[in-house]
Amino acid sequence: MKRQTTFEQIVEAADQLFYQQGFENTSFSDIAEVVKISRGNFYHHFKSKNEILNAVIKHRLDNTRELLNQWESENQNPQDRVQSFINILLMNMAKIKKYGCPVGTLCTELTKLQHPAQTDANQLFSIFRGWLTQQFERMHLSQNADDLAMHILSWSQGVATLAHVYQDERFIQLEITQISNWLKQLK
Amino acid sequence: MKRQTTFEQIVEAADQLFYQQGFENTSFSDIAEVVKISRGNFYHHFKSKNEILNAVIKHRLDNTRELLNQWESENQNPQDRVQSFINILLMNMAKIKKYGCPVGTLCTELTKLQHPAQTDANQLFSIFRGWLTQQFERMHLSQNADDLAMHILSWSQGVATLAHVYQDERFIQLEITQISNWLKQLK
DNA sequence: GTCTATACCTGGATAGAC
DNA sequence: GTCTATCCAGGTATAGAC
């Protein structure tokens, strides 16, 4: 197993902490504690905290693209592919309950902060949005494929938010069933 | 028109700012600027920032209860009452686009911060949840009324989140139509 | 009840030794 | 490449005059 560089370790740790505690609420001390480096050392790798955020977003974008490629290679049928999307609610249930949706909570926070990285972060949504739109287009649906993509995106978003606030896994499971049924009945 | 006390002015201003900028990101200076008092003066009215937050939550809870009472007096039919709930997406469209849902964004932030006021804030959701459950019960639906309440709550939550992130009012309008149709078809 | 002054702390950022 | 020391800004909170 290849050893991670300090740069990668920082990005990895920041990624987790931004997700678990929020961006603003995560300090250099928090990250330093995880990576086990001194605070001053950050500035050898990054110019500012915002640059760490940028690296984290880039890291997540890369991971997301990889995930979508995997779903595409695993399933030929667009409907099955969309089902893969729904299944992340199931796969990440424990984390969603604890910390909410990593995309939604980050984008919402940055939007409230009027943060310059806002548009970059929104790409995290847009990658899914575009990909879902493609799948719906291949299903030859009468409705606007982009509207369907937004619909399922916001549906999962609402589920994650409520599951997070109420710390309720059962609710996630209930809604997953409904989203799947909605998908099957699409014509 | 009765003049507001300083206490009320602080709560009112904090309420707005917490919504627009987030709780953590709002400083005493920000509030002081709006109310036009000095920073030191806060501590005559509140022991800490958390106490301001508590007052804001209480303020919102009172307003919410009043709103529900109003909906009840305006509509006898439970279905029409639920429609009133859906309509807040329409009425507050501009603000939702700009700042998201006031309940959802606050609760999500406090949950991430592991803030002690977390459970109090969740009451803001629970008031709606309980009230919606009552309405669905009166509609004599075969499904669990609480599940339906959670469903519509999370639906509106997802819509608010995506509309906020994408600054998209058209999407809100599209989804409102769908929620209304869902409500009408409930059996 | 409101103000000014100030204490105290934390967090981001810099300089420079090793 | 990593450390320590340090600076500076800002945020919460306190003391005490008016």
Side-chain angles (χ1 to χ4, degrees):
Chain A
M1 174 170 154
K2 195 174 127 222
R3 181 93 176 293
Q4 274 185 320
T5 64
T6 304
F7 181 95
E8 288 166 337
Q9 284 181 33
I10 293 173
V11 172
E12 194 75 44
D15 190 359
Q16 301 300 316
L17 288 170
F18 290 172
Y19 176 34
Q20 294 168 8
Q21 319 181 338
F23 167 68
E24 233 199 346
N25 190 42
T26 299
S27 68
F28 283 89
S29 306
D30 292 332
I31 307 173
E33 206 173 314
V34 174
V35 184
K36 293 189 204 325
I37 57 168
S38 69
R39 264 168 305 157
N41 194 2
F42 280 102
Y43 295 88
H44 180 71
H45 303 279
F46 302 91
K47 277 209 300 287
S48 67
K49 193 184 178 185
N50 283 348
E51 236 177 52
I52 300 183
L53 175 61
N54 287 335
V56 166
I57 293 173
K58 192 189 172 307
H59 183 239
R60 290 196 190 178
L61 286 172
D62 291 342
N63 287 346
T64 306
R65 290 198 189 93
E66 200 181 332
L67 184 67
L68 295 183
N69 286 336
Q70 193 188 317
W71 290 348
E72 294 201 359
S73 64
E74 281 171 7
N75 303 292
Q76 294 308 310
N77 184 342
Q79 190 159 325
D80 293 339
R81 289 177 176 178
V82 177
Q83 184 62 46
S84 299
F85 171 79
I86 300 169
N87 288 343
I88 42 177
L89 282 171
L90 196 68
M91 311 259 293
N92 300 329
M93 188 149 55
K95 282 193 175 179
I96 288 169
K97 173 188 159 187
K98 255 183 152 172
Y99 313 115
C101 168
V103 180
T105 53
L106 180 67
C107 288
T108 302
E109 183 183 355
L110 296 183
T111 306
K112 277 232 169 171
L113 296 179
Q114 298 273 52
H115 196 283
Q118 199 176 321
T119 32
D120 286 335
N122 287 359
Q123 276 297 312
L124 289 165
F125 265 126
S126 296
I127 287 183
F128 283 111
R129 181 178 179 173
W131 185 84
L132 287 165
T133 302
Q134 277 182 20
Q135 308 317 314
F136 287 126
E137 278 167 354
R138 294 207 190 122
M139 289 166 71
H140 306 294
L141 292 158
S142 53
Q143 290 172 72
N144 188 327
D146 179 58
D147 290 339
L148 293 170
M150 281 292 278
H151 182 70
I152 193 169
L153 213 51
S154 82
W155 195 342
S156 61
Q157 204 45 227
V159 171
T161 305
L162 270 281
H164 181 214
V165 167
Y166 279 118
Q167 306 278 307
D168 185 349
E169 290 195 358
R170 178 188 158 276
F171 172 66
I172 301 182
Q173 256 157 340
L174 253 167
E175 290 284 327
I176 288 175
T177 311
Q178 294 185 52
I179 305 178
S180 298
N181 288 340
W182 170 83
L183 177 62
K184 282 175 205 149
Q185 288 168 1
L186 269 185
K187 275 287 128 51
Chain B
M1 173 168 154
K2 195 173 126 223
R3 182 92 175 292
Q4 274 184 321
T5 63
T6 304
F7 181 93
E8 289 167 336
Q9 283 182 35
I10 293 174
V11 172
E12 194 75 45
D15 190 0
Q16 300 299 317
L17 288 171
F18 290 172
Y19 176 34
Q20 294 167 9
Q21 319 181 339
F23 166 69
E24 232 199 347
N25 191 42
T26 299
S27 69
F28 283 88
S29 308
D30 293 333
I31 307 173
E33 208 173 313
V34 174
V35 184
K36 293 188 205 325
I37 56 168
S38 70
R39 267 167 304 156
N41 193 3
F42 280 101
Y43 294 88
H44 179 72
H45 303 278
F46 302 91
K47 276 208 302 284
S48 69
K49 193 182 177 185
N50 283 348
E51 235 178 53
I52 300 183
L53 175 61
N54 288 335
V56 167
I57 293 173
K58 192 190 172 308
H59 183 239
R60 289 197 191 177
L61 286 173
D62 291 343
N63 286 346
T64 306
R65 291 199 188 91
E66 201 181 332
L67 184 67
L68 295 183
N69 286 336
Q70 194 188 317
W71 289 349
E72 293 201 1
S73 64
E74 281 172 6
N75 303 293
Q76 293 307 309
N77 184 342
Q79 190 159 326
D80 293 338
R81 288 176 176 180
V82 177
Q83 185 62 46
S84 299
F85 171 79
I86 300 170
N87 288 342
I88 42 178
L89 282 171
L90 196 69
M91 310 260 292
N92 299 330
M93 188 148 56
K95 281 193 175 178
I96 287 169
K97 174 187 158 188
K98 254 184 155 173
Y99 313 115
C101 167
V103 179
T105 53
L106 180 67
C107 287
T108 301
E109 184 182 356
L110 296 183
T111 307
K112 280 236 169 173
L113 296 179
Q114 298 274 50
H115 196 284
Q118 199 175 322
T119 31
D120 286 336
N122 287 0
Q123 276 297 312
L124 289 164
F125 264 126
S126 297
I127 287 183
F128 283 111
R129 181 179 179 174
W131 185 83
L132 287 165
T133 301
Q134 277 182 20
Q135 309 315 315
F136 287 126
E137 277 167 355
R138 293 207 189 121
M139 288 165 74
H140 306 295
L141 293 158
S142 54
Q143 291 171 71
N144 187 328
D146 179 57
D147 290 339
L148 292 171
M150 281 291 280
H151 182 72
I152 194 169
L153 212 51
S154 83
W155 195 341
S156 62
Q157 204 45 228
V159 171
T161 304
L162 269 281
H164 180 214
V165 167
Y166 278 117
Q167 306 277 310
D168 184 350
E169 289 195 358
R170 177 188 158 276
F171 172 66
I172 302 182
Q173 255 156 340
L174 254 167
E175 290 285 326
I176 288 176
T177 312
Q178 293 185 53
I179 305 178
S180 298
N181 288 339
W182 170 83
L183 178 61
K184 281 174 204 147
Q185 288 168 2
L186 269 186
K187 276 286 131 47

